[in-house]
């Protein structure tokens, strides 16, 4: 397998992890060829997770925005976000490799919940690292993980968000690499993780393509997805990169585009090396990773998956931002118009459409609704969105 | 002769005490120094060194570190290395970084495995700064051969799985790999990670050419007994 997407990617990790990464790569290649493993994965996706998820024509939102809007309903997937596609895939891969212990990082807690769920299902030991700040703002997901049998470790170092959680999970992995699989939750990290996560998330794009053809007899004009590390985006984009469909990745503009107040890595960053990969990065002039902010814990990350950096430089995907307040508008509007409460992450894609209504006028647009928003009610309440 | 190297976080706890520590290392004849350039996300370091690094970063940046590094170079007569993370170099500009540190003997990059090292080594080579390679108990024999061939200075043997400050131990598999790394190699094989006291040093020196002490040195500095600690090592 290729270690790089153009000039992005690679394996910038301590030497101690190199053997584990090459074993993972070999196992992944075998896993993909193994018919039984594949059947097992497809079976879990269908019977347990609830795939295919609907591609829902959002009539009210369409009327409101002046375009034909379809929502890819990953919020309806078991556990409430697209993350389960990847965790079911990787847990089967871990089993295939004979690993018994699973570790994971989580930001919003959705990946942690999805990991704990898959680990419970396959009876594996599971430890999830989560930044202290995220444990506070995504508290319901902490309870869910514990209920599912995972140990949740609070990380109170550094930014105390997703970035610190990844640091801590990497440290655990370095120590326990022989027994443990690191179940990375986004299309980031050292090779082969970005390719593995994309493979397991590409089911979103494959279904979407078939569903839209059935409903509209053509491909959409545009596909919009939010980008944190980039897993839901690469999952849906993967089916369309070779077509002429406009692809838009929406990053968290946070409070403003001043460094430290957003997490718009591709929009505002420059190439750097973090968590095993060379990719766009928010950093200062000395190469120190910058502080970032987003109202949404799942987007609050200074890095991004290397394939997105490649797609940006190639000009194939357009990356743009949606600010906190615009995402909150999207959150509120989708709830009241369609009866669907979106995750704050996904609300960035919705907010982007609303902000650029004119641009999409008359077009067929697919939004990847990556998750549901129950977990976000606390934050949303604190932002005054629930006030009448 | 078994070498002892000391790891210090640059400008920790402050620039003056850091340079005092360098002077102590010179006085007690330490064989080499590794100066850590702090990084915001030091995934190969344990809590003690991470805390020290983040503390320094609140006040200083790489330009400050470069100044202190030059002073350390003037104090310390033996080999001097910089240890840091890829993006402290890449994000600053690899060429610029290599030029500004051209007076050091080598560069050690904690998150740069052999497989990715060429893009850095190529540039540091121009300034006659050696890129230090790592070998671990997991490294294949054929890879060890390749790493030995491309090394122009010591090999850093990561003897313990884990991060700085972990427990020091060596199993037979590890000993076999150390033995293999040393065989016919013109430079030293230095053990790092987890070495804490003169007992660990004695054990490590039965099998290797030297050791690096990191976490314990940083701790001693924090507890104001650095000179005593360094003095105790050569026994
Ligand atoms: C619902 C949801 N969407 C999106 C994301 C962002 O991740 P990614 O960019 O990998 O899809 C998260 C991350 O936690 C999430 O929970």
């Amino acid at each position: 397998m290729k270690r790089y997407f153009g000039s992005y990617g690679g394996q910038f990790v301590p030497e101690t992890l190199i053997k584990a990464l090459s074993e993972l790569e070999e196992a992944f290649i075998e896993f993909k060829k193994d018919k039984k493993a594949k059947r097992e994965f497809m079976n879990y996706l269908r019977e347990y997770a609830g795939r295919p998820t609907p591609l829902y024509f959002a009539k009210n939102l369409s009327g409101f925005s002046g375009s034909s809007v379809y929502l890819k309903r990953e919020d309806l997937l078991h556990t409430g976000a697209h993350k389960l596609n990847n965790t079911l895939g990787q847990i089967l891969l871990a089993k295939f490799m004979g690993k018994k212990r699973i570790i994971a990082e989580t930001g919003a807690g959705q990946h942690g919940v999805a990991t704990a769920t898959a680990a419970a299902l396959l009876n594996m030991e599971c430890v999830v690292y989560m930044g202290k700040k995220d444990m506070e703002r995504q508290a319901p997901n902490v309870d869910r993980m514990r209920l599912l049998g995972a140990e949740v470790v609070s990380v109170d170092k550094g930014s105390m968000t997703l970035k610190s959680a990844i640091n801590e999970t990497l440290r655990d992995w370095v120590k326990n690499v022989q027994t443990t699989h690191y179940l990375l939750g986004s299309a980031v990290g050292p090779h082969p993780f970005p390719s593995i996560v994309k493979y397991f998330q590409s089911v979103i794009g494959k279904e979407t393509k078939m569903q839209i053809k059935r409903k509209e007899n053509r491909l959409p004009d545009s596909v919009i997805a939010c980008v944190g590390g980039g897993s839901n985006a690469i999952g849906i984009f993967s089916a369309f990169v070779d077509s002429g469909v406009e692809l838009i990745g929406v990053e968290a503009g946070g409070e403003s585009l001043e460094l430290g107040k957003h997490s718009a890595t591709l929009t505002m960053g420059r190439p750097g090396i973090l968590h095993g990969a060379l990719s766009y990065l928010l950093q200062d002039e000395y190469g120190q990773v910058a502080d970032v902010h987003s109202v949404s814990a799942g987007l609050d990350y200074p890095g991004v998956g290397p394939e997105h950096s490649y797609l940006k430089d190639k000009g194939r995907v357009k990356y743009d931002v949606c600010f906190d307040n615009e995402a909150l508008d999207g959150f509120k509007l989708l709830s009241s118009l369609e009866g669907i409460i979106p995750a704050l992450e996904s609300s960035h894609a919705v907010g982007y459409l609303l902000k650029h209504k004119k641009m999409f006028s008359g077009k067929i647009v697919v939004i990847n609704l990556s998750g549901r928003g129950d977990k976000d009610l606390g934050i949303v309440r604190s932002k005054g969105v629930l006030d009448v | 002769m078994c070498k002892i190297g000391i790891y210090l976080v640059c400008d920790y706890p402050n620039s003056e005490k850091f340079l005092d520590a360098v002077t102590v290392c010179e006085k007690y004849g330490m064989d080499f120094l590794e100066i850590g350039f702090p990084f915001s996300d030091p995934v190969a370091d344990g809590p003690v060194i991470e805390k020290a690094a983040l503390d320094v970063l609140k006040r200083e940046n790489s330009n400050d570190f470069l100044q202190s590094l030059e002073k350390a170079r003037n104090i310390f007569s033996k080999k001097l290395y910089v240890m840091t993370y890829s993006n402290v170099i890449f994000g600053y500009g690899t060429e610029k970084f290599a030029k500004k540190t051209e007076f050091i003997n080598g560069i050690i990059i904690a998150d740069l495995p052999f497989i990715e090292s060429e893009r850095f080594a190529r540039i540091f080579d121009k300034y006659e700064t050696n890129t230090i390679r790592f070998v671990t108990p997991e490294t294949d024999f054929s890879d060890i051969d390749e790493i030995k061939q491309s090394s122009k200075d010591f090999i850093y043997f990561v003897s313990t799985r884990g991060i700085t400050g972990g427990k020091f131990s060596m199993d037979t598999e590890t000993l076999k790999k150390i033995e293999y790394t040393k065989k016919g190699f013109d430079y030293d094989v230095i053990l790092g990670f987890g070495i804490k006291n003169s007992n660990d040093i004695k054990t490590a020196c039965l099998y290797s050419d030297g050791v690096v002490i990191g976490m314990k040195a940083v701790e001693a500095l924090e507890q104001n007994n650095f000179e005593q600690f360094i003095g105790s090592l050569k026994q």
Side-chain angles (χ1 to χ4, degrees), chain A residues 26-38 199:
Chain A
E26 281 163 32
F28 177 56
I29 292 168
E30 287 309 306
F31 182 88
K32 281 195 291 184
K33 282 192 272 187
D34 190 302
K35 290 215 173 68
K36 194 170 140 252
K38 212 165 166 176
Y199 177 77

Side-chain angles (χ1 to χ4, degrees), chain A residues 4 11 15 167 171 283 288, chain B residues 40-42 45 87 114 116:
Chain A
Y4 278 85
Q11 294 179 314
E15 189 73 50
N167 289 346
R171 290 187 179 113
Q283 56 186 314
Q288 303 296 341
Chain B
S40 52
D41 295 271
D45 285 302
N87 207 52
F114 183 60
E116 300 290 355

Side-chain angles (χ1 to χ4, degrees), chain A residues 78 246 279 360 373 381:
Chain A
H78 178 42
E246 180 186 40
S279 193
F360 296 105
R381 189 186 302 117

Side-chain angles (χ1 to χ4, degrees), chain A residues 81-83 108 110 186 226-232 298-299 343 345-346 370-371:
Chain A
H82 70 291
K83 298 286 180 186
Q110 285 305 120
S186 190
C226 67
V227 179
S231 69
N232 86 86
L299 304 183
E345 291 78 15
S346 327
S370 56

